[in-house]
Amino acid sequence: MGKRHLVIVLDDDPSMLRAMQRVLQVHGFETETFSSVEGFLEGAHLGDATCLVLDIHLQHMSGIELRRQLTRSGHSVPVIFITAVESETTHKAALEAGCVAYLHKPFPSDRLIEAVESVIDLGSER
């Protein structure tokens, strides 16, 4: 991997957040992690991001609603949604919000890496 890629992760579960950060960094990705929507909105470097990994079930705002808000604000960074609560309605809403991948927790680390790499591959085809 020649270019460094920034993956921004938002999950309110501290252990999940640390685990994803470790896996991404081991695979050569730069990371920014956030445990709250507020922290994310204040500090995320969206313009530099290769993609976002967003938990769907967050406090104060769902990851899906956050994605919609970002889109309305002109941010089109690709999103990988993650969730511990599997439902067809949520899956459909995530797809409609424009996710590039949808992972159900707990997921193997290679599934996360595959999803991020697919975003990179799509970006290089443009």
PDB file of all heavy atoms in Angstrom, residues 67-104:
ATOM      1  N   ARG A  67     -25.065   9.825   8.918  1.00  0.00           N
ATOM      2  CA  ARG A  67     -24.698   9.724   7.496  1.00  0.00           C
ATOM      3  C   ARG A  67     -25.569  10.659   6.650  1.00  0.00           C
ATOM      4  O   ARG A  67     -25.063  11.358   5.765  1.00  0.00           O
ATOM      5  CB  ARG A  67     -24.846   8.277   7.025  1.00  0.00           C
ATOM      6  CG  ARG A  67     -24.818   8.071   5.538  1.00  0.00           C
ATOM      7  CD  ARG A  67     -23.500   8.499   4.951  1.00  0.00           C
ATOM      8  NE  ARG A  67     -23.465   8.098   3.556  1.00  0.00           N
ATOM      9  CZ  ARG A  67     -22.529   8.451   2.733  1.00  0.00           C
ATOM     10  NH1 ARG A  67     -21.523   9.198   3.143  1.00  0.00           N
ATOM     11  NH2 ARG A  67     -22.552   8.058   1.498  1.00  0.00           N
ATOM     12  N   ARG A  68     -26.852  10.685   6.914  1.00  0.00           N
ATOM     13  CA  ARG A  68     -27.755  11.573   6.163  1.00  0.00           C
ATOM     14  C   ARG A  68     -27.381  13.035   6.381  1.00  0.00           C
ATOM     15  O   ARG A  68     -27.383  13.839   5.450  1.00  0.00           O
ATOM     16  CB  ARG A  68     -29.200  11.317   6.570  1.00  0.00           C
ATOM     17  CG  ARG A  68     -29.720   9.977   6.093  1.00  0.00           C
ATOM     18  CD  ARG A  68     -31.140   9.739   6.538  1.00  0.00           C
ATOM     19  NE  ARG A  68     -31.603   8.436   6.109  1.00  0.00           N
ATOM     20  CZ  ARG A  68     -32.333   7.620   6.850  1.00  0.00           C
ATOM     21  NH1 ARG A  68     -32.713   7.982   8.074  1.00  0.00           N
ATOM     22  NH2 ARG A  68     -32.700   6.451   6.385  1.00  0.00           N
ATOM     23  N   GLN A  69     -27.059  13.387   7.624  1.00  0.00           N
ATOM     24  CA  GLN A  69     -26.654  14.756   7.943  1.00  0.00           C
ATOM     25  C   GLN A  69     -25.373  15.123   7.201  1.00  0.00           C
ATOM     26  O   GLN A  69     -25.253  16.222   6.655  1.00  0.00           O
ATOM     27  CB  GLN A  69     -26.462  14.906   9.454  1.00  0.00           C
ATOM     28  CG  GLN A  69     -26.019  16.290   9.883  1.00  0.00           C
ATOM     29  CD  GLN A  69     -25.868  16.390  11.390  1.00  0.00           C
ATOM     30  OE1 GLN A  69     -26.640  15.810  12.142  1.00  0.00           O
ATOM     31  NE2 GLN A  69     -24.858  17.116  11.841  1.00  0.00           N
ATOM     32  N   LEU A  70     -24.410  14.219   7.177  1.00  0.00           N
ATOM     33  CA  LEU A  70     -23.161  14.475   6.469  1.00  0.00           C
ATOM     34  C   LEU A  70     -23.404  14.672   4.970  1.00  0.00           C
ATOM     35  O   LEU A  70     -22.828  15.559   4.348  1.00  0.00           O
ATOM     36  CB  LEU A  70     -22.171  13.326   6.695  1.00  0.00           C
ATOM     37  CG  LEU A  70     -21.629  13.179   8.104  1.00  0.00           C
ATOM     38  CD1 LEU A  70     -20.833  11.884   8.238  1.00  0.00           C
ATOM     39  CD2 LEU A  70     -20.796  14.383   8.504  1.00  0.00           C
ATOM     40  N   THR A  71     -24.280  13.851   4.406  1.00  0.00           N
ATOM     41  CA  THR A  71     -24.609  13.970   2.984  1.00  0.00           C
ATOM     42  C   THR A  71     -25.254  15.318   2.696  1.00  0.00           C
ATOM     43  O   THR A  71     -24.880  15.991   1.728  1.00  0.00           O
ATOM     44  CB  THR A  71     -25.544  12.825   2.561  1.00  0.00           C
ATOM     45  OG1 THR A  71     -24.867  11.573   2.796  1.00  0.00           O
ATOM     46  CG2 THR A  71     -25.902  12.921   1.085  1.00  0.00           C
ATOM     47  N   ARG A  72     -26.181  15.735   3.559  1.00  0.00           N
ATOM     48  CA  ARG A  72     -26.830  17.046   3.382  1.00  0.00           C
ATOM     49  C   ARG A  72     -25.816  18.184   3.478  1.00  0.00           C
ATOM     50  O   ARG A  72     -25.979  19.222   2.851  1.00  0.00           O
ATOM     51  CB  ARG A  72     -27.931  17.251   4.426  1.00  0.00           C
ATOM     52  CG  ARG A  72     -29.191  16.463   4.166  1.00  0.00           C
ATOM     53  CD  ARG A  72     -30.335  16.869   5.084  1.00  0.00           C
ATOM     54  NE  ARG A  72     -30.046  16.707   6.496  1.00  0.00           N
ATOM     55  CZ  ARG A  72     -30.311  15.617   7.214  1.00  0.00           C
ATOM     56  NH1 ARG A  72     -30.870  14.568   6.650  1.00  0.00           N
ATOM     57  NH2 ARG A  72     -30.021  15.575   8.496  1.00  0.00           N
ATOM     58  N   SER A  73     -24.743  17.961   4.251  1.00  0.00           N
ATOM     59  CA  SER A  73     -23.696  18.976   4.416  1.00  0.00           C
ATOM     60  C   SER A  73     -22.646  18.932   3.310  1.00  0.00           C
ATOM     61  O   SER A  73     -21.682  19.685   3.348  1.00  0.00           O
ATOM     62  CB  SER A  73     -23.000  18.791   5.764  1.00  0.00           C
ATOM     63  OG  SER A  73     -23.911  18.920   6.816  1.00  0.00           O
ATOM     64  N   GLY A  74     -22.824  18.020   2.364  1.00  0.00           N
ATOM     65  CA  GLY A  74     -21.904  17.948   1.237  1.00  0.00           C
ATOM     66  C   GLY A  74     -20.735  16.989   1.401  1.00  0.00           C
ATOM     67  O   GLY A  74     -19.824  16.974   0.585  1.00  0.00           O
ATOM     68  N   HIS A  75     -20.741  16.169   2.455  1.00  0.00           N
ATOM     69  CA  HIS A  75     -19.665  15.192   2.676  1.00  0.00           C
ATOM     70  C   HIS A  75     -20.088  13.854   2.074  1.00  0.00           C
ATOM     71  O   HIS A  75     -21.079  13.267   2.502  1.00  0.00           O
ATOM     72  CB  HIS A  75     -19.372  15.018   4.163  1.00  0.00           C
ATOM     73  CG  HIS A  75     -18.845  16.242   4.809  1.00  0.00           C
ATOM     74  ND1 HIS A  75     -17.559  16.705   4.603  1.00  0.00           N
ATOM     75  CD2 HIS A  75     -19.425  17.124   5.652  1.00  0.00           C
ATOM     76  CE1 HIS A  75     -17.379  17.816   5.286  1.00  0.00           C
ATOM     77  NE2 HIS A  75     -18.509  18.098   5.937  1.00  0.00           N
ATOM     78  N   SER A  76     -19.332  13.389   1.109  1.00  0.00           N
ATOM     79  CA  SER A  76     -19.701  12.147   0.422  1.00  0.00           C
ATOM     80  C   SER A  76     -18.731  11.001   0.710  1.00  0.00           C
ATOM     81  O   SER A  76     -18.627  10.069  -0.075  1.00  0.00           O
ATOM     82  CB  SER A  76     -19.771  12.399  -1.085  1.00  0.00           C
ATOM     83  OG  SER A  76     -18.502  12.825  -1.562  1.00  0.00           O
ATOM     84  N   VAL A  77     -18.017  11.062   1.810  1.00  0.00           N
ATOM     85  CA  VAL A  77     -17.064  10.017   2.160  1.00  0.00           C
ATOM     86  C   VAL A  77     -17.804   8.678   2.316  1.00  0.00           C
ATOM     87  O   VAL A  77     -18.888   8.628   2.893  1.00  0.00           O
ATOM     88  CB  VAL A  77     -16.274  10.399   3.441  1.00  0.00           C
ATOM     89  CG1 VAL A  77     -17.189  10.548   4.631  1.00  0.00           C
ATOM     90  CG2 VAL A  77     -15.173   9.425   3.718  1.00  0.00           C
ATOM     91  N   PRO A  78     -17.240   7.588   1.760  1.00  0.00           N
ATOM     92  CA  PRO A  78     -17.888   6.281   1.861  1.00  0.00           C
ATOM     93  C   PRO A  78     -18.029   5.829   3.317  1.00  0.00           C
ATOM     94  O   PRO A  78     -17.170   6.102   4.153  1.00  0.00           O
ATOM     95  CB  PRO A  78     -16.935   5.353   1.103  1.00  0.00           C
ATOM     96  CG  PRO A  78     -16.153   6.256   0.202  1.00  0.00           C
ATOM     97  CD  PRO A  78     -16.022   7.554   0.952  1.00  0.00           C
ATOM     98  N   VAL A  79     -19.142   5.106   3.584  1.00  0.00           N
ATOM     99  CA  VAL A  79     -19.447   4.667   4.946  1.00  0.00           C
ATOM    100  C   VAL A  79     -19.601   3.155   5.002  1.00  0.00           C
ATOM    101  O   VAL A  79     -20.279   2.556   4.164  1.00  0.00           O
ATOM    102  CB  VAL A  79     -20.735   5.338   5.468  1.00  0.00           C
ATOM    103  CG1 VAL A  79     -21.164   4.740   6.796  1.00  0.00           C
ATOM    104  CG2 VAL A  79     -20.542   6.832   5.606  1.00  0.00           C
ATOM    105  N   ILE A  80     -18.967   2.574   6.020  1.00  0.00           N
ATOM    106  CA  ILE A  80     -19.159   1.171   6.378  1.00  0.00           C
ATOM    107  C   ILE A  80     -19.951   1.185   7.673  1.00  0.00           C
ATOM    108  O   ILE A  80     -19.480   1.726   8.678  1.00  0.00           O
ATOM    109  CB  ILE A  80     -17.802   0.461   6.584  1.00  0.00           C
ATOM    110  CG1 ILE A  80     -16.991   0.481   5.290  1.00  0.00           C
ATOM    111  CG2 ILE A  80     -18.016  -0.961   7.108  1.00  0.00           C
ATOM    112  CD1 ILE A  80     -15.528   0.132   5.472  1.00  0.00           C
ATOM    113  N   PHE A  81     -21.165   0.641   7.645  1.00  0.00           N
ATOM    114  CA  PHE A  81     -21.972   0.588   8.860  1.00  0.00           C
ATOM    115  C   PHE A  81     -21.703  -0.705   9.604  1.00  0.00           C
ATOM    116  O   PHE A  81     -21.532  -1.766   8.995  1.00  0.00           O
ATOM    117  CB  PHE A  81     -23.472   0.659   8.534  1.00  0.00           C
ATOM    118  CG  PHE A  81     -23.973   2.044   8.268  1.00  0.00           C
ATOM    119  CD1 PHE A  81     -24.549   2.357   7.050  1.00  0.00           C
ATOM    120  CD2 PHE A  81     -23.881   3.043   9.218  1.00  0.00           C
ATOM    121  CE1 PHE A  81     -25.029   3.630   6.786  1.00  0.00           C
ATOM    122  CE2 PHE A  81     -24.349   4.324   8.972  1.00  0.00           C
ATOM    123  CZ  PHE A  81     -24.928   4.612   7.757  1.00  0.00           C
ATOM    124  N   ILE A  82     -21.683  -0.608  10.936  1.00  0.00           N
ATOM    125  CA  ILE A  82     -21.557  -1.774  11.797  1.00  0.00           C
ATOM    126  C   ILE A  82     -22.687  -1.737  12.810  1.00  0.00           C
ATOM    127  O   ILE A  82     -23.148  -0.662  13.204  1.00  0.00           O
ATOM    128  CB  ILE A  82     -20.181  -1.828  12.499  1.00  0.00           C
ATOM    129  CG1 ILE A  82     -19.951  -0.578  13.357  1.00  0.00           C
ATOM    130  CG2 ILE A  82     -19.062  -2.000  11.474  1.00  0.00           C
ATOM    131  CD1 ILE A  82     -18.676  -0.624  14.185  1.00  0.00           C
ATOM    132  N   THR A  83     -23.151  -2.910  13.212  1.00  0.00           N
ATOM    133  CA  THR A  83     -24.236  -2.968  14.187  1.00  0.00           C
ATOM    134  C   THR A  83     -24.235  -4.306  14.918  1.00  0.00           C
ATOM    135  O   THR A  83     -23.834  -5.321  14.347  1.00  0.00           O
ATOM    136  CB  THR A  83     -25.612  -2.757  13.521  1.00  0.00           C
ATOM    137  OG1 THR A  83     -26.618  -2.722  14.529  1.00  0.00           O
ATOM    138  CG2 THR A  83     -25.927  -3.832  12.500  1.00  0.00           C
ATOM    139  N   ALA A  84     -24.681  -4.276  16.154  1.00  0.00           N
ATOM    140  CA  ALA A  84     -24.853  -5.500  16.932  1.00  0.00           C
ATOM    141  C   ALA A  84     -26.300  -5.972  16.868  1.00  0.00           C
ATOM    142  O   ALA A  84     -26.612  -7.085  17.270  1.00  0.00           O
ATOM    143  CB  ALA A  84     -24.449  -5.270  18.387  1.00  0.00           C
ATOM    144  N   VAL A  85     -27.179  -5.130  16.372  1.00  0.00           N
ATOM    145  CA  VAL A  85     -28.606  -5.439  16.318  1.00  0.00           C
ATOM    146  C   VAL A  85     -28.990  -5.673  14.863  1.00  0.00           C
ATOM    147  O   VAL A  85     -29.045  -4.743  14.066  1.00  0.00           O
ATOM    148  CB  VAL A  85     -29.447  -4.280  16.909  1.00  0.00           C
ATOM    149  CG1 VAL A  85     -30.922  -4.621  16.872  1.00  0.00           C
ATOM    150  CG2 VAL A  85     -28.987  -3.951  18.317  1.00  0.00           C
ATOM    151  N   GLU A  86     -29.235  -6.919  14.542  1.00  0.00           N
ATOM    152  CA  GLU A  86     -29.563  -7.268  13.164  1.00  0.00           C
ATOM    153  C   GLU A  86     -31.072  -7.144  12.942  1.00  0.00           C
ATOM    154  O   GLU A  86     -31.862  -7.710  13.685  1.00  0.00           O
ATOM    155  CB  GLU A  86     -29.118  -8.705  12.873  1.00  0.00           C
ATOM    156  CG  GLU A  86     -29.297  -9.129  11.446  1.00  0.00           C
ATOM    157  CD  GLU A  86     -28.435  -8.336  10.471  1.00  0.00           C
ATOM    158  OE1 GLU A  86     -27.235  -8.206  10.708  1.00  0.00           O
ATOM    159  OE2 GLU A  86     -28.983  -7.853   9.463  1.00  0.00           O
ATOM    160  N   SER A  87     -31.427  -6.348  11.950  1.00  0.00           N
ATOM    161  CA  SER A  87     -32.829  -6.272  11.543  1.00  0.00           C
ATOM    162  C   SER A  87     -32.875  -5.903  10.068  1.00  0.00           C
ATOM    163  O   SER A  87     -32.034  -5.133   9.583  1.00  0.00           O
ATOM    164  CB  SER A  87     -33.609  -5.257  12.377  1.00  0.00           C
ATOM    165  OG  SER A  87     -33.509  -3.959  11.856  1.00  0.00           O
ATOM    166  N   GLU A  88     -33.837  -6.447   9.387  1.00  0.00           N
ATOM    167  CA  GLU A  88     -33.979  -6.179   7.955  1.00  0.00           C
ATOM    168  C   GLU A  88     -34.279  -4.706   7.708  1.00  0.00           C
ATOM    169  O   GLU A  88     -33.770  -4.110   6.754  1.00  0.00           O
ATOM    170  CB  GLU A  88     -35.089  -7.063   7.359  1.00  0.00           C
ATOM    171  CG  GLU A  88     -35.149  -7.025   5.855  1.00  0.00           C
ATOM    172  CD  GLU A  88     -33.844  -7.468   5.186  1.00  0.00           C
ATOM    173  OE1 GLU A  88     -33.193  -8.395   5.683  1.00  0.00           O
ATOM    174  OE2 GLU A  88     -33.475  -6.847   4.155  1.00  0.00           O
ATOM    175  N   THR A  89     -35.065  -4.092   8.582  1.00  0.00           N
ATOM    176  CA  THR A  89     -35.400  -2.674   8.444  1.00  0.00           C
ATOM    177  C   THR A  89     -34.144  -1.809   8.549  1.00  0.00           C
ATOM    178  O   THR A  89     -33.942  -0.893   7.749  1.00  0.00           O
ATOM    179  CB  THR A  89     -36.417  -2.258   9.525  1.00  0.00           C
ATOM    180  OG1 THR A  89     -37.561  -3.111   9.419  1.00  0.00           O
ATOM    181  CG2 THR A  89     -36.840  -0.826   9.380  1.00  0.00           C
ATOM    182  N   THR A  90     -33.307  -2.102   9.529  1.00  0.00           N
ATOM    183  CA  THR A  90     -32.071  -1.341   9.712  1.00  0.00           C
ATOM    184  C   THR A  90     -31.126  -1.550   8.533  1.00  0.00           C
ATOM    185  O   THR A  90     -30.527  -0.595   8.037  1.00  0.00           O
ATOM    186  CB  THR A  90     -31.376  -1.752  11.030  1.00  0.00           C
ATOM    187  OG1 THR A  90     -32.273  -1.522  12.108  1.00  0.00           O
ATOM    188  CG2 THR A  90     -30.102  -0.970  11.246  1.00  0.00           C
ATOM    189  N   HIS A  91     -31.020  -2.790   8.083  1.00  0.00           N
ATOM    190  CA  HIS A  91     -30.167  -3.092   6.933  1.00  0.00           C
ATOM    191  C   HIS A  91     -30.636  -2.315   5.700  1.00  0.00           C
ATOM    192  O   HIS A  91     -29.827  -1.700   4.995  1.00  0.00           O
ATOM    193  CB  HIS A  91     -30.167  -4.590   6.667  1.00  0.00           C
ATOM    194  CG  HIS A  91     -29.148  -5.019   5.667  1.00  0.00           C
ATOM    195  ND1 HIS A  91     -29.154  -6.264   5.107  1.00  0.00           N
ATOM    196  CD2 HIS A  91     -28.097  -4.380   5.105  1.00  0.00           C
ATOM    197  CE1 HIS A  91     -28.153  -6.362   4.252  1.00  0.00           C
ATOM    198  NE2 HIS A  91     -27.501  -5.232   4.237  1.00  0.00           N
ATOM    199  N   LYS A  92     -31.922  -2.297   5.467  1.00  0.00           N
ATOM    200  CA  LYS A  92     -32.481  -1.563   4.323  1.00  0.00           C
ATOM    201  C   LYS A  92     -32.200  -0.061   4.458  1.00  0.00           C
ATOM    202  O   LYS A  92     -31.807   0.601   3.500  1.00  0.00           O
ATOM    203  CB  LYS A  92     -33.980  -1.814   4.220  1.00  0.00           C
ATOM    204  CG  LYS A  92     -34.620  -1.157   3.025  1.00  0.00           C
ATOM    205  CD  LYS A  92     -36.099  -1.461   2.941  1.00  0.00           C
ATOM    206  CE  LYS A  92     -36.692  -0.715   1.768  1.00  0.00           C
ATOM    207  NZ  LYS A  92     -38.137  -0.795   1.745  1.00  0.00           N
ATOM    208  N   ALA A  93     -32.396   0.486   5.658  1.00  0.00           N
ATOM    209  CA  ALA A  93     -32.144   1.916   5.887  1.00  0.00           C
ATOM    210  C   ALA A  93     -30.664   2.248   5.669  1.00  0.00           C
ATOM    211  O   ALA A  93     -30.338   3.301   5.111  1.00  0.00           O
ATOM    212  CB  ALA A  93     -32.570   2.309   7.301  1.00  0.00           C
ATOM    213  N   ALA A  94     -29.779   1.352   6.091  1.00  0.00           N
ATOM    214  CA  ALA A  94     -28.340   1.567   5.893  1.00  0.00           C
ATOM    215  C   ALA A  94     -28.002   1.589   4.402  1.00  0.00           C
ATOM    216  O   ALA A  94     -27.251   2.456   3.937  1.00  0.00           O
ATOM    217  CB  ALA A  94     -27.545   0.478   6.609  1.00  0.00           C
ATOM    218  N   LEU A  95     -28.565   0.680   3.651  1.00  0.00           N
ATOM    219  CA  LEU A  95     -28.331   0.651   2.202  1.00  0.00           C
ATOM    220  C   LEU A  95     -28.874   1.914   1.539  1.00  0.00           C
ATOM    221  O   LEU A  95     -28.216   2.500   0.677  1.00  0.00           O
ATOM    222  CB  LEU A  95     -28.965  -0.596   1.583  1.00  0.00           C
ATOM    223  CG  LEU A  95     -28.315  -1.929   1.970  1.00  0.00           C
ATOM    224  CD1 LEU A  95     -29.136  -3.087   1.419  1.00  0.00           C
ATOM    225  CD2 LEU A  95     -26.877  -1.994   1.494  1.00  0.00           C
ATOM    226  N   GLU A  96     -30.052   2.344   1.950  1.00  0.00           N
ATOM    227  CA  GLU A  96     -30.647   3.558   1.388  1.00  0.00           C
ATOM    228  C   GLU A  96     -29.835   4.803   1.741  1.00  0.00           C
ATOM    229  O   GLU A  96     -29.815   5.764   0.986  1.00  0.00           O
ATOM    230  CB  GLU A  96     -32.091   3.707   1.859  1.00  0.00           C
ATOM    231  CG  GLU A  96     -33.026   2.688   1.230  1.00  0.00           C
ATOM    232  CD  GLU A  96     -34.426   2.699   1.836  1.00  0.00           C
ATOM    233  OE1 GLU A  96     -34.668   3.427   2.833  1.00  0.00           O
ATOM    234  OE2 GLU A  96     -35.272   1.953   1.317  1.00  0.00           O
ATOM    235  N   ALA A  97     -29.155   4.772   2.889  1.00  0.00           N
ATOM    236  CA  ALA A  97     -28.324   5.908   3.304  1.00  0.00           C
ATOM    237  C   ALA A  97     -27.001   5.940   2.541  1.00  0.00           C
ATOM    238  O   ALA A  97     -26.256   6.900   2.654  1.00  0.00           O
ATOM    239  CB  ALA A  97     -28.065   5.860   4.808  1.00  0.00           C
ATOM    240  N   GLY A  98     -26.729   4.878   1.791  1.00  0.00           N
ATOM    241  CA  GLY A  98     -25.555   4.885   0.938  1.00  0.00           C
ATOM    242  C   GLY A  98     -24.323   4.231   1.517  1.00  0.00           C
ATOM    243  O   GLY A  98     -23.212   4.701   1.286  1.00  0.00           O
ATOM    244  N   CYS A  99     -24.478   3.142   2.239  1.00  0.00           N
ATOM    245  CA  CYS A  99     -23.289   2.475   2.779  1.00  0.00           C
ATOM    246  C   CYS A  99     -22.621   1.618   1.703  1.00  0.00           C
ATOM    247  O   CYS A  99     -23.265   1.151   0.776  1.00  0.00           O
ATOM    248  CB  CYS A  99     -23.634   1.633   3.997  1.00  0.00           C
ATOM    249  SG  CYS A  99     -24.619   0.167   3.687  1.00  0.00           S
ATOM    250  N   VAL A 100     -21.327   1.437   1.856  1.00  0.00           N
ATOM    251  CA  VAL A 100     -20.582   0.576   0.943  1.00  0.00           C
ATOM    252  C   VAL A 100     -20.431  -0.833   1.509  1.00  0.00           C
ATOM    253  O   VAL A 100     -20.117  -1.763   0.774  1.00  0.00           O
ATOM    254  CB  VAL A 100     -19.193   1.156   0.602  1.00  0.00           C
ATOM    255  CG1 VAL A 100     -19.334   2.447  -0.175  1.00  0.00           C
ATOM    256  CG2 VAL A 100     -18.349   1.359   1.841  1.00  0.00           C
ATOM    257  N   ALA A 101     -20.653  -0.978   2.818  1.00  0.00           N
ATOM    258  CA  ALA A 101     -20.626  -2.289   3.463  1.00  0.00           C
ATOM    259  C   ALA A 101     -21.442  -2.219   4.749  1.00  0.00           C
ATOM    260  O   ALA A 101     -21.623  -1.144   5.329  1.00  0.00           O
ATOM    261  CB  ALA A 101     -19.200  -2.721   3.766  1.00  0.00           C
ATOM    262  N   TYR A 102     -21.931  -3.373   5.173  1.00  0.00           N
ATOM    263  CA  TYR A 102     -22.767  -3.491   6.357  1.00  0.00           C
ATOM    264  C   TYR A 102     -22.284  -4.725   7.107  1.00  0.00           C
ATOM    265  O   TYR A 102     -22.398  -5.841   6.603  1.00  0.00           O
ATOM    266  CB  TYR A 102     -24.224  -3.646   5.910  1.00  0.00           C
ATOM    267  CG  TYR A 102     -25.240  -3.739   7.012  1.00  0.00           C
ATOM    268  CD1 TYR A 102     -25.797  -2.602   7.574  1.00  0.00           C
ATOM    269  CD2 TYR A 102     -25.681  -4.978   7.478  1.00  0.00           C
ATOM    270  CE1 TYR A 102     -26.764  -2.688   8.566  1.00  0.00           C
ATOM    271  CE2 TYR A 102     -26.641  -5.068   8.465  1.00  0.00           C
ATOM    272  CZ  TYR A 102     -27.173  -3.919   9.010  1.00  0.00           C
ATOM    273  OH  TYR A 102     -28.135  -4.009   9.992  1.00  0.00           O
ATOM    274  N   LEU A 103     -21.705  -4.511   8.287  1.00  0.00           N
ATOM    275  CA  LEU A 103     -21.138  -5.613   9.057  1.00  0.00           C
ATOM    276  C   LEU A 103     -21.891  -5.791  10.367  1.00  0.00           C
ATOM    277  O   LEU A 103     -22.165  -4.822  11.076  1.00  0.00           O
ATOM    278  CB  LEU A 103     -19.659  -5.347   9.355  1.00  0.00           C
ATOM    279  CG  LEU A 103     -18.753  -5.075   8.156  1.00  0.00           C
ATOM    280  CD1 LEU A 103     -17.342  -4.752   8.622  1.00  0.00           C
ATOM    281  CD2 LEU A 103     -18.759  -6.246   7.200  1.00  0.00           C
ATOM    282  N   HIS A 104     -22.199  -7.050  10.684  1.00  0.00           N
ATOM    283  CA  HIS A 104     -22.897  -7.372  11.926  1.00  0.00           C
ATOM    284  C   HIS A 104     -21.882  -7.807  12.974  1.00  0.00           C
ATOM    285  O   HIS A 104     -21.075  -8.702  12.728  1.00  0.00           O
ATOM    286  CB  HIS A 104     -23.927  -8.485  11.668  1.00  0.00           C
ATOM    287  CG  HIS A 104     -24.764  -8.789  12.855  1.00  0.00           C
ATOM    288  ND1 HIS A 104     -24.520  -9.873  13.657  1.00  0.00           N
ATOM    289  CD2 HIS A 104     -25.815  -8.140  13.393  1.00  0.00           C
ATOM    290  CE1 HIS A 104     -25.407  -9.887  14.640  1.00  0.00           C
ATOM    291  NE2 HIS A 104     -26.197  -8.849  14.506  1.00  0.00           N
TER     292      HIS A 104
END
